[in-house]
Amino acid sequence: MCTYSIIPLAGNGGFRVAVNRDESHFRAPAFAPASFAPEGVEFVMPVDAEAGGTWVAVNAAGLVLALLNYAPGLKPGTAPRGRHSRGLVIPALAGATSLEQALARARAYDTGQTAPFRLLLTDGQTLAELASPGFGKPLISRGFGVARPLTFASSGLGDELVEPARRALAEELFNSPPEGWPSAQDALHTHRWHDRPEVSVYMSRQEARTVSITTIEVASGVAKMSYQADLGGRLAPLQYASVLLTGHAVPPIRVAAGGWVGTSAGASAGSKRGLGGGGGGGGGGGRAGASVRGTTRDRTTRDRLLPGSEP
């Protein structure tokens, strides 16, 4: 259960991703983002306190990886459960140094004991959506250019119940010049219909609610992750993590409200926290400064990686 959106950033060639995590009221609160590099490629991610995995990460190649549930046509409460946590998928892919490599890893991942999920992988130019029916069934893949905002959603109530409503809201909010898209994205991920809280982006129902909002901005040689946990209807202070993109000079480390976890403090935090079964430089760093407006080269790459992709 999640909502995901991605926008290109006007003027600097970067991109921004936001992810709401929707979970059971009874699930333990996640750990704030920390830094890991089990294969030598640094990535930052929040960590699930129960299974040790994650639902979103960004790495030094400028790749953002996110995981949604996959529940097409299901009745509420009938989603199948797997023996292996879906949260272990992203740590297994996060050492990839290109979108091509991440896709290859995803296709090779053993889903035999894993419940259905949707994996969203992007380098800011192309977004790959890989839907896994789970339990060893073949992946279903689509590709998109990141020239305009894109929104994806899932729910234990059934994806087809919530995704159209959330996408319609996103289209309304993003109906503005690109300079206003970051503010519109923030508004999207904190929006709740008072008469329909169960299908809202910032959702709430008897057995589940939005438990956190994670925002990732990849631009100017660095990927910055901000994380806010939900504290029973209000958002906690922001917590931050960052990762330097390959090939760029080290930026100064700034201390922000809620503490900074990044290239130095983050490495220490990450070394103390296991991934629960997680997990390999260069060309990704240049992507953060490249155009995301859907060039011919971008379309050619997308079509090669994901035949039948959408423009």
Side-chain angles (χ1 to χ4, degrees):
M1 300 178 290
C2 285
T3 302
Y4 170 108
S5 70
I6 181 171
I7 59 172
L9 294 174
N12 66 9
F15 65 101
R16 193 173 189 256
V17 170
V19 179
N20 282 27
R21 186 192 192 199
D22 307 333
E23 268 295 349
S24 165
H25 293 290
F26 303 105
R27 197 174 187 93
F31 295 110
S35 174
F36 303 88
E39 300 178 68
V41 177
E42 186 183 9
F43 58 91
V44 293
M45 67 181 197
V47 179
D48 183 87
E50 295 186 6
T54 193
W55 60 100
V56 63
V58 60
N59 73 6
L63 298 177
V64 176
L65 310 90
L67 194 77
L68 283 68
N69 287 357
Y70 183 48
L74 293 180
K75 295 180 181 179
T78 63
R81 295 183 176 273
R83 293 180 60 188
H84 296 167
S85 170
R86 290 171 285 203
L88 301 181
V89 175
I90 287 179
L93 311 183
T97 57
S98 67
L99 182 59
E100 294 93 332
Q101 190 177 88
L103 283 166
R105 289 186 177 203
R107 288 169 175 146
Y109 190 86
D110 182 3
T111 62
Q113 300 296 323
T114 306
F117 62 85
R118 271 196 290 175
L119 183 65
L120 301 172
L121 309 173
T122 188
D123 58 4
Q125 298 175 5
T126 298
L127 183 144
E129 178 191 29
L130 302 175
S132 169
F135 309 108
K137 297 178 182 177
L139 295 175
I140 305 165
S141 60
R142 295 192 297 172
F144 305 83
V146 188
R148 289 190 54 81
L150 299 170
T151 304
F152 302 84
S154 67
S155 173
L157 298 176
D159 297 350
E160 74 288 343
L161 179 64
V162 304
E163 195 163 43
R166 295 179 189 178
R167 281 184 168 166
L169 173 64
E171 290 178 7
E172 178 183 339
L173 291 172
F174 288 125
N175 186 24
S176 63
E179 291 76 13
W181 287 348
S183 296
Q185 189 178 44
D186 292 339
L188 173 66
H189 285 267
T190 55
H191 185 276
R192 178 179 292 169
W193 287 293
H194 294 295
D195 59 339
R196 293 185 294 163
E198 71 281 0
V199 301
S200 297
V201 177
Y202 196 73
M203 59 80 64
S204 177
R205 63 177 192 264
Q206 184 174 1
E207 66 277 15
R209 75 183 198 280
T210 296
V211 296
S212 66
I213 301 174
T214 304
T215 305
I216 299 168
E217 186 170 312
V218 181
S220 304
V222 66
K224 300 176 183 178
M225 176 181 284
S226 64
Y227 177 83
Q228 282 187 289
D230 175 82
L231 300 177
R234 63 184 179 88
L235 289 170
L238 283 164
Q239 296 176 290
Y240 295 90
S242 69
V243 58
L244 179 70
L245 300 186
T246 304
H248 292 269
V250 177
I253 299 224
R254 296 175 295 167
V255 177
W260 186 273
V261 181
T263 52
S264 59
S268 175
S271 65
K272 297 177 182 178
R273 192 172 297 153
L275 296 182
R287 288 194 183 92
S291 170
V292 297
R293 295 296 177 181
T295 63
T296 300
R297 178 178 62 83
D298 298 336
R299 291 193 296 271
T300 301
T301 300
R302 184 172 68 248
D303 293 343
R304 174 170 54 83
L305 295 175
L306 297 154
S309 298
E310 298 184 15

